[in-house]
C-alpha cells in the first residue's frame, strides 16, 4: 500500500519551521519527502490524501504514561483500584483514547497490575485492539521490610538479590521497562518525597540485572539523592527531579546523553485546577504541586539549556488529570517552562522518539509513518493539539487509524 499525502506544511520534528511539502508512504515507512506541495504528484500511489495546506507532523510520544490509572476523558473512575476485568477494559480503552488524541507511542511509567501491559502491547501489535506503540511496564516497585525477609512477592523485597529476582520476573513476563519509585511522593503521602527508598547496592543490582536482561529503567525521583541513585542505576528516563540542586543539575547535564528527563507538569497543573468534593482533601497535593511547578520553572530551562533531553508526559489517569488530556503537557511546557511551541513539539516528537528507541518522532525518509494531519499550525499554538477534531488524520505505521474525510482512491 502506497499513500501519497500531498499539499501539506511539514513539521518534521527537528524544530525547523513548517515548510510546504508532500510525503509518500510505502508500507509502514516514509518512502519519500518532497519539498513542494506537488513534488510527488508523479509517484504511483494506491491512495492520495489531499492535505489542503494543513500541517503534517510526527505522531506524539508520551514519556510518562499510566494506562492502568483508569480515568480517561471518556470515563472517570473515582476509585483507584478496580476489579481485574474492569481494569483491563479501562487499560485497553485508554490505549485507544491516547491514539485517538494523536499519541502514536507511549513509554509506560508503571502499572497497577503485573502482566497487563505486555498483554496489551502484544494485542496492539497483533492488530487485535487499537493503540499506540507501547513500551510495557509493570507494578511500580518500592521496597519494604528488611533484607533477607521474604515479603511474599517479587515487587518489594529488600537487597540486591531481591532486585535481581524482580528484574528476572519482569523479563519473563515481557516487560521492557521497569519502574523504580526511588523517592517517596508528597502528593500521596505528605513529607515523603525526600525519602530515599533504595540503597546504592540495590540500584547497582538493578543496573546490572536490567543490562543483562535487555530492560530499561524508569525512575521516580524528586530530590538530589534519589536523582543521583537513578543516574547510578543507569535509568533511561528520570521523572520529576523537581528538587535537584546545583550539583545534581551539573551531573545531569554532564551525563545528558545517558538518560531522558520528563518533569511531568500535567499532574501538577491538574491538581491545582481540581475542585474536589468536600470529603476529599487535596490541600497537600495542591501545595506540593505549586511548589514543584515553581521549582521546575527554573530547573527545566536550565536542563534544556544544558542539552538534557526533556520530554512530555504528565502522570495522566487521575480523575482530575484523565488519560487523553496528555497533549496539555505541550501547553504546560510553553506556559510554565518557557518553551516555544516548536520546542515543545520537538520534545513531544523527535526526542520522544529517541526515548522509544524506534524510528519514530520525525517526518523523514526511512522513518516509520506515524503521522498526524493537523488543521492549523501547532508551531503557532500548541494548544490546538488538545482538540482531536483538529486531527484530520492519524496514521500509525502507514495504517490509517483516522482517515481524512477527503481520502480518495487514486
Ligand atoms: Zn507516574
Amino acid at each position: 500500500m502506497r499513500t501519497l499525502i500531498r499539499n501539506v506544511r511539514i513539521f518534521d520534528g527537528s524544530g525547523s519551521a513548517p515548510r510546504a511539502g508532500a510525503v509518500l508512504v510505502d508500507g509502514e515507512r516514509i518512502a519519500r519527502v518532497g519539498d513542494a506541495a506537488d513534488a510527488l504528484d508523479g509517484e504511483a500511489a494506491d491512495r492520495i490524501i489531499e492535505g489542503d495546506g494543513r500541517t503534517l507532523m510526527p505522531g506524539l510520544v508520551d514519556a510518562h504514561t499510566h494506562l492502568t490509572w483508569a480515568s480517561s476523558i471518556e470515563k472517570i473512575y473515582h476509585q483507584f483500584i478496580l476489579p481485574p476485568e474492569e481494569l483491563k477494559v479501562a487499560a485497553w480503552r485508554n490505549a485507544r483514547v491516547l491514539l485517538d488524541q494523536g499519541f502514536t507511542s507511549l513509554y509506560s511509567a508503571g502499572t497497577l497490575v503485573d502482566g497487563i501491559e505486555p498483554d496489551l502491547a502484544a494485542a496492539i501489535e497483533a492488530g487485535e485492539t487499537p493503540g499506540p506503540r507501547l513500551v510495557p511496564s509493570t507494578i511500580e516497585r518500592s521496597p519494604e521490610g528488611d533484607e533477607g525477609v521474604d515479603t511474599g512477592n517479587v515487587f518489594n523485597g529488600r537487597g540486591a538479590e531481591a532486585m535481581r529476582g524482580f528484574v528476572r520476573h519482569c523479563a519473563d513476563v515481557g516487560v521492557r521497562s521497569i519502574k523504580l519509585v526511588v523517592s517517596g511522593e508528597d502528593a500521596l503521602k505528605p513529607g515523603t518525597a525526600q525519602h530515599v527508598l533504595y540503597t546504592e547496592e540495590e540500584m547497582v543490582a538493578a543496573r546490572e540485572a536490567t543490562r543483562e536482561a535487555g530492560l530499561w529503567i524508569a525512575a521516580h525521583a524528586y530530590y538530589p539523592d534519589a536523582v543521583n541513585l537513578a543516574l547510578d542505576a543507569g535509568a533511561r528516563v528520570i521523572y520529576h527531579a523537581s528538587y535537584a540542586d546545583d550539583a545534581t543539575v551539573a551531573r545531569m547535564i554532564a551525563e545528558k546523553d545517558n538518560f531522558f528527563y520528563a518533569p511531568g507538569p500535567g499532574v501538577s497543573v491538574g491538581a491545582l485546577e481540581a475542585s474536589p468534593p468536600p470529603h476529599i482533601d487535596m490541600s497537600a497535593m495542591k501545595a506540593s504541586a505549586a511548589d514543584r511547578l515553581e521549582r521546575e520553572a527554573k530547573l527545566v530551562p536550565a536542563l534544556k539549556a544544558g542539552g538534557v533531553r526533556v520530554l512530555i508526559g504528565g502522570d495522566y489517569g487521575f480523575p482530575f488529570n484523565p488519560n487523553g488530556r496528555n497533549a496539555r503537557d505541550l501547553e504546560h511546557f510553553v506556559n510554565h517552562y518557557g518553551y516555544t511551541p516548536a520546542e515543545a513539539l520537538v520534545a513531544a516528537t523527535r526526542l520522544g522518539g529517541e526515548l522509544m528507541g524506534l524510528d519514530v518522532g520525525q517526518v523523514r525518509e526511512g522513518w516509520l509513518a506515524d503521522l498526524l494531519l493537523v488543521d492549523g499550525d501547532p508551531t503557532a499554538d500548541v494548544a490546538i493539539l488538545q482538540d482531536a477534531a483538529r486531527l484530520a488524520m492519524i496514521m500509525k505505521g502507514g495504517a490509517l487509524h483516522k482517515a481524512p474525510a477527503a481520502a480518495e482512491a487514486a
Side-chain angles (χ1 to χ4, degrees), residues 104-380:
T104 48
S105 287
L106 309 175
Y107 190 103
S108 173
T111 74
L112 294 177
V113 177
D114 188 39
I116 189 167
E117 284 193 347
D119 287 353
L120 176 52
I124 291 169
E125 198 143 337
E128 293 162 13
T129 192
R133 304 176 195 279
L134 172 64
V135 173
S137 190
T138 186
I139 292 177
E140 298 184 60
R141 190 182 196 279
S142 49
E144 34 185 73
D146 296 314
E147 181 164 2
V149 177
D150 188 358
T151 61
N153 73 58
V154 297
F155 302 107
N156 54 20
R158 292 242 61 142
E161 201 37 57
M163 180 66 86
R164 286 190 200 101
F166 169 67
V167 173
R168 270 196 304 275
H169 168 81
C170 290
D172 286 347
V173 300
V175 160
R176 291 185 46 222
S177 173
I178 65 167
K179 173 74 179 295
L180 300 179
V181 179
V182 187
S183 280
E185 172 58 64
D186 276 345
L188 302 176
K189 256 194 221 168
T192 61
Q194 298 198 50
H195 297 178
V196 172
L197 306 181
Y198 285 101
T199 63
E200 179 78 30
E201 188 202 12
E202 289 165 334
M203 294 300 277
V204 169
R207 177 192 190 103
E208 290 167 353
T210 51
R211 295 270 148 104
E212 215 165 278
L215 302 187
W216 289 327
I217 297 174
H220 168 108
Y222 277 110
Y223 280 83
D225 288 351
V227 174
N228 281 302
L229 276 177
L231 290 168
D232 291 345
R236 183 168 182 84
V237 57
I238 295 176
Y239 299 134
H240 310 305
S242 320
Y243 298 88
D245 57 11
D246 290 348
T248 308
V249 167
R251 182 177 174 196
M252 290 170 84
I253 289 170
E255 298 183 17
K256 63 181 162 44
D257 295 332
N258 300 339
F259 77 103
F260 297 84
Y261 166 54
V267 67
S268 303
V269 175
L272 287 170
E273 290 172 349
S275 38
H279 66 281
I280 295 179
D281 179 10
M282 283 183 67
S283 55
M285 207 180 217
K286 284 173 181 283
S288 164
D291 194 35
R292 291 198 311 259
L293 277 177
E294 194 183 318
R295 287 165 185 278
E296 290 159 10
K298 294 196 187 74
L299 172 71
V300 177
L303 291 171
K304 169 162 127 316
V308 172
R309 292 167 293 181
V310 185
L311 308 177
I312 68 154
D315 260 329
Y316 292 84
F318 291 104
F320 60 82
N321 191 41
N323 274 302
R325 294 246 175 95
N326 309 53
R328 288 193 79 197
D329 257 43
L330 288 125
E331 190 182 8
H332 300 333
F333 271 47
V334 172
N335 291 343
H336 292 275
Y337 303 153
Y339 273 57
T340 66
E343 287 172 336
L345 287 162
V346 170
T349 57
R350 178 168 59 83
L351 298 179
E354 290 179 20
L355 172 72
M356 294 296 291
L358 298 170
D359 296 340
V360 299
Q362 300 185 54
V363 180
R364 182 170 160 185
E365 289 179 3
W367 243 234
L368 288 162
D370 290 6
L371 300 168
L372 308 177
L373 187 59
V374 183
D375 190 4
D377 180 5
T379 67

